[in-house]
Amino acid sequence: MTLKEKNNEIQKKNQNDLRDLEQFFNTNKVDNMLQKIEEKKKELVEEMIKYAEKNTVPCKWDKDGCPLEYRVKINPLVITNYFFKPIAPISSQEPIYNAEKLGMVFDYYCDILAEVNDKIGNFPSSLTSFCKLASITLSTLRSYKNSSDLNMRIIVEKIYDQIGDENITMSQMGIVSERSTIFKMKSQNEIVEKQQPTVHISITEKPDYEHIEERLKKYKQFANKKEK
């Protein structure tokens, strides 16, 4: 078998795996979905361990310049494209979720994220990477936030809250840039900084200059009497 044939076979297998997972998320029962998710998580964890072993760089050296310690090299684009692959192919229709299934996909996302942070390094959560995994757009997630289904609205609010809290915590700990976190929170989580209220003072009545002048004269007279 040639290299091209092997690559085509691997690509075909990946497409079949994605379609298989897509079918579980759209048409299958919850129990079967849970089983499928656990299988996928085990596969991903094994891939993460291999990735960590292959992508190490020295971070501490002895006096002779020999490496003493290594860390895993973080490449956010590689991580998001490799470990947060969409459930459904990008060319297919968006999966239609109910509240329970969306919650399960988010739990699946959180599990993958936790393993990435444990096996590879610090990788912040985001609404866009979750949407990519769930094979939906950010606009779709926002529409779920305004759904007529109360359970769906609650699930989406929990997703927004958890991702927002995780990013703020990582920013406070100095793990990620505070400026980029604020920008991401504004653009993705629709969080707007509070502004100081603008106060306008308008004087509707004109000052009574004659009354003011009369009072000034009285004060002057009183001051003169005290001096005498």
Side-chain angles (χ1 to χ4, degrees):
M1 186 181 290
T2 63
L3 180 61
K4 185 178 180 180
E5 288 173 337
K6 285 182 180 179
N7 288 336
N8 288 337
E9 186 178 338
I10 292 170
Q11 188 176 5
K12 188 175 180 181
K13 182 181 181 301
N14 290 338
Q15 288 176 348
N16 289 336
D17 287 344
L18 287 171
R19 290 197 180 99
D20 188 30
L21 194 57
E22 177 191 10
Q23 181 183 354
F24 270 90
F25 275 100
N26 282 281
T27 61
N28 234 295
K29 294 180 180 179
V30 170
D31 290 342
N32 292 336
M33 286 172 58
L34 288 171
Q35 181 183 349
K36 190 68 179 179
I37 286 174
E38 288 302 320
E39 291 174 4
K40 290 297 294 182
K41 282 195 291 189
K42 287 180 182 177
E43 290 176 14
L44 284 172
V45 170
E46 290 176 5
E47 292 297 327
M48 288 175 203
I49 293 169
K50 291 177 184 176
Y51 178 90
E53 290 173 349
K54 291 180 181 177
N55 293 274
T56 56
V57 291
C59 61
K60 190 175 181 181
W61 296 263
D62 61 16
K63 61 181 180 180
D64 298 321
C66 299
L68 293 174
E69 294 180 13
Y70 292 83
R71 62 174 176 81
V72 182
K73 184 181 180 182
I74 294 288
N75 187 328
L77 289 177
V78 172
I79 291 171
T80 190
N81 287 326
Y82 195 74
F83 297 111
F84 295 96
K85 290 178 182 176
I87 288 167
I90 197 167
S91 57
S92 66
Q93 291 183 343
E94 277 192 331
I96 300 172
Y97 293 106
N98 59 23
E100 187 177 16
K101 288 185 178 181
L102 186 69
M104 290 176 63
V105 177
F106 184 66
D107 286 339
Y108 174 49
Y109 170 80
C110 290
D111 287 344
I112 297 174
L113 189 70
E115 292 293 344
V116 167
N117 280 280
D118 181 49
K119 304 289 188 303
I120 299 173
N122 298 316
F123 185 81
S125 59
S126 70
L127 292 174
T128 49
S129 62
F130 166 65
C131 287
K132 178 181 179 180
L133 178 74
S135 299
I136 59 175
T137 64
L138 188 55
S139 297
T140 300
L141 186 66
R142 285 171 178 161
S143 70
Y144 287 158
K145 197 176 181 181
N146 301 314
S147 171
S148 58
D149 181 1
L150 175 61
N151 290 330
M152 178 63 86
R153 294 201 305 271
I154 291 172
I155 291 294
V156 177
E157 285 289 348
K158 286 181 178 179
I159 291 170
Y160 269 72
D161 289 347
Q162 182 168 327
I163 288 178
D165 184 64
E166 286 174 359
N167 277 269
I168 290 171
T169 302
M170 292 182 82
S171 174
Q172 289 172 335
M173 295 173 67
I175 296 172
V176 294
S177 166
E178 186 174 352
R179 183 174 294 181
S180 62
T181 300
I182 292 171
F183 176 79
K184 186 165 69 172
M185 298 292 285
K186 285 182 177 180
S187 62
Q188 293 185 25
N189 294 51
E190 305 165 272
I191 292 176
V192 181
E193 292 180 90
K194 286 187 177 180
Q195 294 181 346
Q196 292 293 332
T198 305
V199 179
H200 296 283
I201 300 174
S202 57
I203 301 173
T204 55
E205 295 182 3
K206 291 183 179 180
D208 189 345
Y209 292 108
E210 290 182 2
H211 181 68
I212 294 171
E213 190 70 30
E214 186 180 342
R215 298 199 61 167
L216 283 172
K217 284 181 181 179
K218 287 182 179 179
Y219 286 130
K220 285 179 182 178
Q221 289 173 0
F222 179 74
N224 291 331
K225 283 181 181 179
K226 285 193 76 175
E227 287 177 2
K228 290 177 181 179

